[in-house]
Structure formats: structure tokens, C-alpha cells
Amino acid sequence: MRGFLRKMTNRLNDPVDYYLPLGEEEFHLNPYLGDRIQLIFHGRIRCLHCGQASKKSYGQGFCYPCFKKLPQCDLCIVSPERCHFEKGTCRDSVWGKEFCMQPHLVYLANSSGVKVGITKPDQLPTRWIDQGAVQAVPIFRVNSRQVSGLVETIFKQHVTDKTQWRRMLKGDNPPVDLKQTRDDLMGRVTSELSELQDRFGLQAVQAIDTGVQDIIYPVQQYPTKIVSMNFDKTPSIEGTLLGIKGQYLIFDCGVINLRRFTSYDVELKPASSGLF
């Protein structure tokens, strides 16, 4: 099983089902839990966009020229409140209209504690699973990516927008009352939200009330000590697969963030195949 790696896909089940895309095929990883597997990086990287060979991967899978010119690699994707579409300086206005000038959701999630985040509606629950959240709930529907970033910035004054990945991988995130947390935060940001509605219109920022989504991951054993593994330093990684959470594989010898190595030429060898 070999091909150019893309981020793992998933399906919300109990527990989450994970699939490893290698080239044109996807391989179901859950059946390999508890088995010894080997991942081999064969030294080639191919740009996710143009398909050209690259010495390094930029922005999770792109060559440097694509990283510098593609709209999906612009700074405003990471910091959407800095959107410059209205200034006429978007790298690709057509792409911007299709991706950024569309409804988004603002949510609260419990990944390594409570965090605020944003995503497009069709990316749920994938976005939450990619972050390793064990609970999540949407709290706002907004009319553009920029507005979602501005709402997120307001909430970041009171709650983080980051996941502490080491804590997330240790399973150190007990359940919290996300709806109560939401209500408490709402009471602290009323004036800032009103200012946004005055600026963009009442319909641009709408509070929503939905149920909390609980997420269970296929993890047999969480690590007590986090050892991060890296294809650039260790092209061949071998160990017993103990779990999958977020975009991480958890082995008995360490953890690896597969999304970081998007576009790497990787081979998967299960011990059951008899190939190692």
C-alpha cells in the first residue's frame, strides 16, 4: 500500500472510523489497531496542487511557488479576520467568492480544554475530529469567513483558539458543560457582538442552539509521555498502533501527525502482510 499521502479522512461512528489516503486509494486503519505496522517515506514529495516534485512541503502539501500564489495558502486563511477581499487584493477573487464569501459556523469544542473555532457547515464533524475534540457544539452561523474570524477574535479574549496537541493525545480532557460555557461567554461579549451586527447587519451574525456532539476515538491506550516522530528525520517508522486521534497515529514508540506530511510518498506495511 503506497502513494502520495493526504490527510486522513474519517467517519463519525462509535468510535470514529479512520481512512488513510495513499494516492488514489484509501485504507481503513481501525482494523490495524493493536497490530504492528511500518510506515516508510520513500524520499519523494509532490505538490498537492500542481503535481510537481518539491524538496519540501509548504503549507501542508504545496511546493513553494504554489504556496506563494494560491489563495488557500494566503495568511488570511489562518487569520480570516484579516480578509482583504473587499480591497480587491485577493489572490483569486473567484476562489474567494466560492470559499470565503459563504456561510461559516463558529463553534466551541473540547479538545485539550475548551476552545473556539470556525469552519464551513459541510466540514462538520470532520473539523472537530481533525482537532481531536471529544465534545463540540456550533454557537453562531455567520455570512462569511471574515465575519467568522471576527467573532472568533472576540471569543479569543476569554477562551483559546488552539489545541494543546500533547494534552489532547494524552486523553487529558474531561467532559465539560459546553452549553453552560457558551452561555457564560455570551454574557461577556454582548457589546462586541452587537458592534459586529451594526457593522455587517443583524443577519450576518446569528446565534444558534443545537445539541452537543460527543466524539469517541479508536484508542486502546493513551501515551503517558509524548515522543513525536518525523519522516524527515526517521524515514521508516515501525511500531504497534495503539490509537488514532485528530490527525495523529499513536504508536507504542511515539506519535506522528500525518497531516504534516501531506504529499509525501509513503508506504504502509502491516505486519500481517509478511513484508517485514
Side-chain angles (χ1 to χ4, degrees), residues 111-113 115 160 162-170:
S111 52
S112 56
K115 70 178 292 291
T160 185
K162 307 295 183 185
T163 295
Q164 298 178 29
W165 63 274
R166 291 179 179 273
R167 182 177 177 185
M168 179 270 289
L169 287 175
K170 288 183 177 181

Side-chain angles (χ1 to χ4, degrees), residues 2-269:
R2 177 179 172 180
F4 287 94
L5 180 68
R6 288 172 286 125
K7 82 178 188 76
M8 288 185 287
T9 60
N10 55 65
R11 295 177 189 168
L12 182 61
N13 282 312
D14 183 8
V16 172
D17 277 303
Y18 275 98
Y19 298 84
L20 180 66
L22 294 175
E24 300 301 317
E25 298 187 71
E26 287 191 342
F27 301 96
H28 192 193
L29 289 177
N30 293 52
Y32 296 114
L33 285 170
D35 292 345
R36 197 162 186 83
I37 67 173
Q38 185 178 25
L39 290 170
I40 304 169
F41 169 46
H42 286 278
R44 296 195 303 157
I45 303 172
R46 188 173 68 186
C47 177
L48 191 62
H49 178 74
C50 70
Q52 295 298 310
S54 179
K55 292 183 179 180
K56 292 180 62 177
S57 174
Y58 298 87
Q60 297 178 342
F62 300 97
C63 65
Y64 188 71
C66 286
F67 175 71
K68 295 297 291 184
K69 72 179 182 182
L70 291 175
Q72 57 265 46
C73 298
D74 204 348
L75 181 61
C76 54
I77 297 301
V78 178
S79 303
E81 69 278 6
R82 300 172 69 175
C83 173
H84 48 95
F85 184 88
E86 291 183 353
K87 297 179 180 179
T89 54
C90 183
R91 291 183 178 183
D92 184 335
S93 59
V94 174
W95 186 91
K97 285 181 180 180
E98 294 177 351
F99 183 81
C100 300
M101 302 295 111
Q102 300 294 328
H104 278 63
L105 296 175
V106 182
Y107 63 84
L108 294 178
N110 176 14
S111 52
S112 56
V114 177
K115 70 178 292 291
V116 62
I118 67 172
T119 192
K120 296 181 73 174
D122 62 2
Q123 288 301 302
L124 293 184
T126 295
R127 176 67 171 165
W128 296 336
I129 295 171
D130 283 347
Q131 294 180 340
V134 295
Q135 299 168 280
V137 62
I139 58 174
F140 285 101
R141 182 182 295 273
V142 301
N143 67 357
S144 72
R145 186 172 178 83
Q146 180 189 27
V147 175
S148 72
L150 292 169
V151 175
E152 183 183 45
T153 298
I154 290 172
F155 277 80
K156 283 195 302 186
Q157 301 174 70
H158 308 285
V159 64
T160 185
D161 65 332
K162 307 295 183 185
T163 295
Q164 298 178 29
W165 63 274
R166 291 179 179 273
R167 182 177 177 185
M168 179 270 289
L169 287 175
K170 288 183 177 181
D172 185 18
N173 46 340
V176 298
D177 188 338
L178 281 184
K179 287 203 169 185
Q180 185 61 55
T181 301
R182 174 201 63 190
D183 294 344
D184 292 344
L185 288 169
M186 291 285 202
R188 302 171 72 177
V189 299
T190 302
S191 60
E192 292 96 329
L193 291 174
S194 295
E195 290 175 6
L196 270 188
Q197 289 177 322
D198 290 341
R199 176 181 171 187
F200 293 98
L202 189 62
Q203 299 301 314
V205 184
Q206 296 182 313
I208 54 178
D209 187 4
T210 66
V212 174
Q213 177 68 64
D214 296 313
I215 303 172
I216 298 173
Y217 294 88
V219 179
Q220 295 181 343
Q221 181 180 328
Y222 284 104
T224 55
K225 181 180 179 181
I226 302 295
V227 178
S228 181
M229 298 186 290
N230 184 327
F231 280 134
D232 295 324
K233 296 179 179 179
T234 309
S236 178
I237 293 171
E238 180 182 333
T240 300
L241 183 63
L242 299 179
I244 315 170
K245 191 176 184 184
Q247 281 290 317
Y248 285 84
L249 298 184
I250 302 171
F251 291 93
D252 57 346
C253 54
V255 303
I256 183 167
N257 179 359
L258 290 187
R259 189 168 192 173
R260 177 180 173 185
F261 302 102
T262 299
S263 297
Y264 280 51
D265 180 7
V266 171
E267 183 177 7
L268 168 66
K269 288 184 178 182

